[in-house]
């Protein structure tokens, strides 16, 4: 019996399906995510080439070696998860089944503890350290901003990523001016990527170095009514229309640790935990 199947037609249909899948996958990525994915896959391909591996489709064992290599090089687990997502995305867009990552995820989860225990821990900022740092702050707009930021970080124990995502609208001062309610995004990284949920905390007024008064002073001096709460300040002392970065928070902590006569190498934004 003669077959009516046209192999060329089937191949054309399969190519159209792959192309549609590729367009759909890329459309779901933001411009910044696409740039990350592109870079991640280029580096992965270079690594595979250097070790004689085939990047697509990936061999599970070889991909595991790549992940372990990044763990040993000190990459953060969140970065490794993103790179793994980039590789899975590349498989999907090229029509290959994505690699089984169950074992790889367990390696990443286990490496979190190893990475944290192997990394030099930062010294916790004491009340005495904080007072010395606050005393070293200059009386200008940058100083008012940094005072509010440091006191907020100390009393709230927020992560720097949570601090820089705060907006003016997230602060709600009580009518009696005795406290401020702060809504923020609680950040965390799961196997599926970044997970966020909305939470809130309340800071009460203090007798000295008060975070509530410091935040009110910052808003009054900056004139901010909406948008990012903490922003960069240019060399001329002017406020920029940008959001302060997490790295800037760490640098601010080190700056005032140094001005207070402390060893700045022992302090960072994690010192407030």
């Amino acid at each position: 019996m003669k077959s009516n199947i046209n192999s060329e037609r089937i191949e054309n249909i399969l190519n159209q399906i792959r192309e549609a899948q590729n367009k759909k996958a890329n459309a779901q990525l933001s411009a910044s995510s696409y740039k990350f994915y592109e870079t991640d896959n280029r580096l992965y391909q270079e690594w595979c080439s250097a070790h004689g591996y085939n990047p697509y489709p990936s061999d599970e064992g070889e991909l595991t070696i790549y992940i372990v290599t990044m763990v040993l090089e000190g990459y953060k687990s969140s970065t490794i998860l993103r790179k793994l997502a980039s590789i899975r995305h590349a498989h999907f867009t090229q029509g290959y089944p994505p690699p089984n990552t169950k074992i790889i995820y367990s390696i990443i989860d286990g490496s979190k503890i190893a990475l944290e225990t192997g990394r030099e821990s930062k010294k916790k900022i004491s009340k005495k350290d904080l007072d010395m740092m606050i005393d070293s702050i200059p009386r200008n707009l940058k100083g008012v901003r940094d005072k509010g930021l440091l006191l907020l970080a100390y009393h709230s124990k927020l992560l720097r990523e949570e601090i820089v995502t705060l907006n003016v609208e997230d602060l709600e001062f009580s009518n009696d001016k005795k406290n401020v309610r702060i809504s923020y995004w609680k950040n965390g990284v799961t196997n599926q990527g970044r997970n966020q949920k909305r939470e809130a905390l309340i800071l009460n007024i203090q007798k000295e170095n008060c975070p509530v008064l410091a935040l009110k002073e910052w808003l009054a001096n900056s004139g901010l009514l909406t948008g990012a709460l903490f922003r960069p300040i240019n060399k001329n002392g002017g406020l920029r229309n940008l959001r302060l970065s997490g790295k800037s928070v760490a640098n601010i902590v080190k700056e005032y640790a140094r001005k207070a006569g402390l060893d700045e190498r022992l302090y960072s934004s994690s010192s407030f935990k």
Side-chain angles (χ1 to χ4, degrees):
M1 181 177 179
K2 187 176 180 181
S3 173
N4 293 323
I5 297 176
N6 187 320
S7 58
E8 183 177 349
R9 184 182 179 188
I10 291 176
E11 183 63 28
N12 287 336
I13 293 174
L14 290 175
N15 287 334
Q16 290 175 19
I17 293 174
R18 294 191 190 101
E19 185 178 350
Q21 289 177 327
N22 194 354
K23 289 181 179 179
K24 181 179 179 181
N26 287 329
Q28 294 173 343
L29 294 178
S30 64
S32 58
S33 296
Y34 185 83
K35 185 177 180 180
F36 274 127
Y37 276 28
E38 190 177 47
T39 301
D40 289 341
N41 278 289
R42 176 177 56 79
L43 294 175
Y44 175 60
Q45 290 175 52
E46 291 174 356
W47 182 86
C48 287
S49 177
H51 292 82
Y53 297 149
N54 182 38
Y56 313 111
S58 297
D59 176 88
E60 185 178 320
E62 295 169 356
L63 184 56
T64 301
I65 295 174
Y66 180 61
I67 298 300
V68 172
T69 299
M70 288 192 287
V71 170
L72 295 176
E73 290 179 354
Y75 280 88
K76 292 181 178 179
S77 56
S78 57
T79 302
I80 297 176
L81 286 171
R82 191 202 68 219
K83 288 178 177 293
L84 186 55
S86 302
I87 294 170
R88 287 175 60 84
H89 179 266
H91 277 71
F92 182 76
T93 57
Q94 294 182 47
Y96 296 118
N100 187 343
T101 53
K102 186 176 181 179
I103 297 177
I104 298 173
Y105 279 138
S106 66
I107 293 173
I108 295 173
D109 290 338
S111 72
K112 292 178 183 178
I113 299 175
L115 288 172
E116 288 300 323
T117 54
R119 189 180 295 132
E120 182 182 0
S121 60
K122 296 300 181 181
K123 184 177 179 181
K124 186 176 180 179
I125 293 177
S126 65
K127 180 64 166 59
K128 181 180 178 181
D129 294 337
L130 177 69
D131 291 342
M132 292 170 61
M133 293 168 70
I134 297 299
D135 288 343
S136 68
I137 292 178
R139 296 181 180 278
N140 54 25
L141 186 61
K142 180 180 182 301
V144 175
R145 179 202 67 185
D146 295 346
K147 182 178 180 181
L149 190 152
L150 291 174
L151 289 174
L152 169 65
Y154 180 82
H155 289 281
S156 69
K157 310 303 181 187
L158 290 175
L159 300 175
R160 68 184 190 183
E161 292 83 3
E162 294 164 347
I163 291 175
V164 297
T165 56
L166 289 175
N167 290 325
V168 176
E169 298 92 328
D170 295 327
L171 274 58
E172 183 181 346
F173 294 92
S174 61
N175 294 330
D176 58 10
K177 302 179 182 179
K178 290 185 177 181
N179 61 59
V180 58
R181 184 180 187 276
I182 302 175
S183 301
Y184 66 98
W185 288 107
K186 182 69 176 179
N187 292 312
V189 177
T190 67
N191 289 346
Q192 288 72 41
R194 183 162 294 278
N195 179 45
Q196 294 184 323
K197 62 179 180 178
R198 198 70 167 161
E199 294 196 1
L201 59 89
I202 294 178
L203 296 181
N204 295 311
I205 198 163
Q206 306 288 322
K207 290 183 179 180
E208 57 180 16
N209 289 333
C210 175
V212 180
L213 297 179
L215 289 172
K216 288 180 71 68
E217 184 181 7
W218 165 239
L219 292 177
N221 282 266
S222 64
L224 292 174
L225 299 175
T226 186
L229 176 61
F230 294 113
R231 309 184 186 199
I233 296 173
N234 61 35
K235 295 180 179 179
N236 297 323
L239 199 62
R240 302 182 63 190
N241 190 26
L242 296 171
R243 190 178 294 276
L244 204 65
S245 68
K247 184 177 180 180
S248 296
V249 174
N251 290 337
I252 289 171
V253 175
K254 289 182 177 295
E255 175 188 349
Y256 291 106
R258 181 177 67 254
K259 289 182 177 180
L262 304 170
D263 187 347
E264 65 177 285
R265 295 171 298 178
L266 301 179
Y267 297 88
S268 186
S269 54
S270 59
S271 298
F272 289 112
K273 290 183 181 180

